[in-house]
Amino acid sequence: MTDSQEHAPASVWRNPIHFLAFGFGSGAMPRAPGTWGTLAALPFVLLWQQLPPWGYEIVLVLSTLLGIWLCHKTAVDLGVHDHGGIVWDEFVGLWIALWLAPAGWAWLLAGFLLFRLFDIWKPWPIRWIDHHVGGGFGIMLDDIIAGFMALAVLLLAEYLLAMV
């Protein structure tokens, strides 16, 4: 991590766009900002799960579109393509991972862990996207794919557990 990525810029606390891109400030943590950002996104899942499935879908679409713009604008402003503190992509990735997951703390924990695993490990095509797709879309896309991978594993686990 470069020095420009180790520290959160002061603009995070002054600029509302940067504040959102940094996950309401959670991405300003000096260590593991992606994990802190994912943790900060978790309480929102409890709200989204109260919505009908189509309502949760609308939240996902709108937060993804907002995220593409937020992440792009913040990256351009900071002069760093994907500053480690930009964690709005982790918010949306986690929300996707838990979109159709069963309710309950065990599923929330499993979704959190699976999303972080895929986000950190970056199996194909996540790593390729991370290295080849630029702008806000690229910042968001690898986490979106990680979220869908985590969701697929959760749904498979739910199916297999129902068979037992």
Side-chain angles (χ1 to χ4, degrees):
M1 196 176 269
T2 66
D3 189 51
S4 64
Q5 289 185 320
E6 286 182 26
H7 305 290
S11 65
V12 169
W13 310 112
R14 294 190 309 260
N15 183 323
I17 295 168
H18 296 186
F19 184 68
L20 281 176
F22 271 67
F24 304 100
S26 61
M29 296 297 285
R31 292 214 180 268
T35 299
W36 287 108
T38 306
L39 276 171
L42 206 48
F44 291 94
V45 173
L46 300 174
L47 293 173
W48 307 155
Q49 288 179 337
Q50 303 306 308
L51 298 171
W54 59 267
Y56 198 137
E57 288 174 34
I58 289 172
V59 168
L60 291 178
V61 169
L62 293 177
S63 61
T64 297
L65 294 174
L66 175 64
I68 292 168
W69 179 77
L70 282 174
C71 294
H72 177 76
K73 174 81 172 114
T74 303
V76 168
D77 290 352
L78 300 180
V80 178
H81 164 61
D82 191 0
H83 188 290
I86 296 175
V87 295
W88 187 262
D89 50 333
E90 272 82 8
F91 272 55
V92 175
L94 179 71
W95 296 343
I96 290 169
L98 293 166
W99 169 31
L100 300 170
W105 288 104
W107 292 104
L108 288 174
L109 177 62
F112 173 84
L113 293 173
L114 285 167
F115 173 70
R116 290 307 300 145
L117 172 72
F118 287 121
D119 189 33
I120 294 167
W121 176 34
K122 297 193 186 312
W124 186 91
I126 298 170
R127 184 176 309 278
W128 187 90
I129 290 166
D130 189 47
H131 292 302
H132 293 91
V133 181
F137 182 70
I139 293 170
M140 292 290 298
L141 187 58
D142 65 312
D143 290 85
I144 289 168
I145 302 297
F148 277 112
M149 287 180 156
L151 176 60
V153 172
L154 282 179
L155 295 177
L156 178 62
E158 178 189 27
Y159 175 77
L160 293 174
L161 287 171
M163 293 177 54
V164 177

